[in-house]
Amino acid sequence: MSEPLVSVRNLKKYFPVRGGVLSRQRGQVHAIDDISFDVYPGETFGLVGESGCGKTTTGRVMLRLEERTSGDVLFEGRSIFALKGEAMRRQRRDMQIIFQDPYSSLNPRMTVGEIVGEPLSVHHIASGRDRENQVRDLLETVGLSGYHLKRYPHEFSGGQRQRIGIARALALHPKLIVCDEPVSALDVSIQSQVLNLLNDLQEKFGLTYVFIAHGLNVVKHMSTRVGVMYLGKIVELADSKDLFAHPQHPYTEALMSAIPVPNPDLKRERIVLEGDVPSPVNPPKGCRFHTRCPYAQEICRQEEPPLIDLGGGHMTACHFRQVMDAPLQKRSI
């Protein structure tokens, strides 16, 4: 296997919680709590999990849009947190992001030509007529037309706005693009068009994606490998086909059971987890999933399970993963 394009090593990101008259720190939100994984050139690495599990924060810290609390992110073997000033600005050419909301991520006061062309100006790549020609080419690459240059974001549909965001991300010919739930705000009829566009662009330009999403069907369609996050931790990591065929963590299996089956004659045993996700301000001791896990034992409440390789790169963090051979009992809240 080739060398990783990006290596995340023991990454942590805590946000302070302040309160009171003097706004003193009362605690910390453990958004990311000691996670590690690699992303290889040309692949799509999926991140899935419930809202608040740390997926988006992981993507933002990987691009240094948020500063780390501890740990490191290596891009082609070099720590992005060791870069300063001009060196970091040059590094940003290789790392771009497609935001979740195509409405708020575009400046309503700028034309499409200015939005897509801004990275070319900031990095002194093109100006004047040359920049305009490059912007036209980018718009056509994502399925828009050159005559859209002078229009403003409010004149476009949600799917078209997301295409503009994709064109902006492509402007600097990056190696890595973090796709932060790029289709969750779009109509279902438009989602497949945008996903197919991302696949076509990946093949054409040799892009590497970190694909963050809630929809497991979307992740299954897009991803080469998948990391499952729960309360700031990666609890399972595997090849996409292997993960969906043989989940090895109780949380992953519960997520899989919620995927709709496009056949009314087939019935899937739904696994309903009891309770709510614990607060990331005060995460439980031991395995963070033990408060909702039907297999939880005393060791789960006391010791945090390590992320171990079960073979073939399929990794899971579960003290009792061997019981996954037996189906979970259907439970209700």
Side-chain angles (χ1 to χ4, degrees):
M1 184 176 286
S2 61
E3 291 296 316
L5 178 67
V6 181
S7 295
V8 175
R9 293 288 175 263
N10 305 110
L11 191 63
K12 295 182 180 182
K13 176 59 181 178
Y14 299 162
F15 293 98
V17 177
R18 302 184 184 278
V21 177
L22 300 178
S23 294
R24 290 176 175 155
Q25 184 170 326
R26 298 292 184 86
Q28 292 179 315
V29 175
H30 295 65
I32 311 173
D33 206 354
D34 195 12
I35 65 172
S36 300
F37 59 88
D38 293 323
V39 182
Y40 293 91
E43 78 165 342
T44 298
F45 182 86
L47 275 178
V48 299
E50 294 169 292
S51 295
C53 70
K55 307 184 301 295
T56 293
T57 303
T58 299
R60 293 179 66 86
V61 175
M62 286 176 67
L63 300 182
R64 205 174 167 185
L65 297 178
E66 299 278 359
E67 291 295 329
R68 62 182 173 175
T69 297
S70 65
D72 209 350
V73 177
L74 307 178
F75 191 96
E76 295 182 325
R78 182 170 62 169
S79 171
I80 65 170
F81 295 103
L83 303 177
K84 306 294 182 183
E86 180 63 23
M88 187 62 218
R89 194 173 72 89
R90 288 195 302 269
Q91 181 65 67
R92 292 197 184 280
R93 296 185 186 184
D94 291 330
M95 310 183 303
Q96 293 294 308
I97 185 170
I98 300 169
F99 294 99
Q100 176 179 357
D101 188 354
Y103 295 89
S104 62
S105 63
L106 302 179
N107 190 332
R109 298 179 180 273
M110 297 173 67
T111 66
V112 169
E114 292 169 336
I115 290 170
V116 178
E118 185 177 28
L120 301 175
S121 298
V122 169
H123 290 272
H124 309 295
I125 294 174
S127 61
R129 180 65 65 180
D130 184 28
R131 186 182 74 168
E132 182 175 321
N133 290 336
Q134 289 193 38
V135 171
R136 287 180 187 275
D137 290 341
L138 286 165
L139 292 177
E140 291 173 359
T141 298
V142 298
L144 298 174
S145 300
Y147 63 78
H148 290 133
L149 275 170
K150 303 300 182 183
R151 294 187 179 181
Y152 289 86
H154 73 269
E155 300 178 72
F156 296 89
S157 67
Q160 289 175 318
R161 291 188 192 198
Q162 197 61 291
R163 289 174 187 267
I164 295 168
I166 294 171
R168 178 176 58 186
L170 289 174
L172 299 176
H173 303 287
K175 297 177 181 178
L176 172 73
I177 296 180
V178 173
C179 305
D180 183 12
E181 302 194 43
V183 297
S184 63
L186 305 179
D187 294 339
V188 175
S189 60
I190 304 299
Q191 289 184 6
S192 61
Q193 297 178 22
V194 174
L195 293 175
N196 289 335
L197 172 63
L198 290 172
N199 279 330
D200 291 343
L201 294 173
Q202 183 176 40
E203 184 176 346
K204 182 177 181 179
F205 297 110
L207 298 170
T208 302
Y209 292 146
V210 173
F211 195 89
I212 299 167
H214 282 103
L216 292 174
N217 276 334
V218 173
V219 172
K220 183 179 181 180
H221 173 69
M222 291 291 295
S223 301
T224 311
R225 290 184 303 130
V226 179
V228 181
M229 291 193 70
Y230 182 82
L231 208 62
K233 293 281 190 179
I234 289 182
V235 297
E236 189 162 2
L237 195 160
D239 175 87
S240 180
K241 292 181 179 179
D242 189 24
L243 182 81
F244 281 85
H246 307 289
Q248 295 295 315
H249 194 279
Y251 177 63
T252 308
E253 189 173 68
L255 289 179
M256 300 301 178
S257 76
I259 300 176
V261 179
N263 186 337
D265 296 326
L266 292 179
K267 300 296 182 182
R268 172 176 284 169
E269 187 76 4
R270 177 71 188 274
I271 301 168
V272 181
L273 298 174
E274 293 183 337
D276 297 323
V277 180
S279 170
V281 177
N282 186 26
K285 184 180 178 182
C287 175
R288 295 192 175 182
F289 187 60
H290 84 259
T291 59
R292 305 170 74 194
C293 180
Y295 296 132
Q297 304 291 326
E298 186 59 31
I299 188 174
C300 305
R301 301 180 180 93
Q302 300 298 326
E303 297 181 17
E304 181 179 327
L307 190 67
I308 59 172
D309 193 339
L310 305 178
H314 194 142
M315 307 182 75
T316 190
C318 180
H319 288 301
F320 295 97
R321 67 96 185 163
Q322 63 270 19
V323 302
M324 295 301 294
D325 293 333
L328 288 171
Q329 296 297 316
K330 184 176 181 181
R331 302 170 68 90
S332 59
I333 296 176

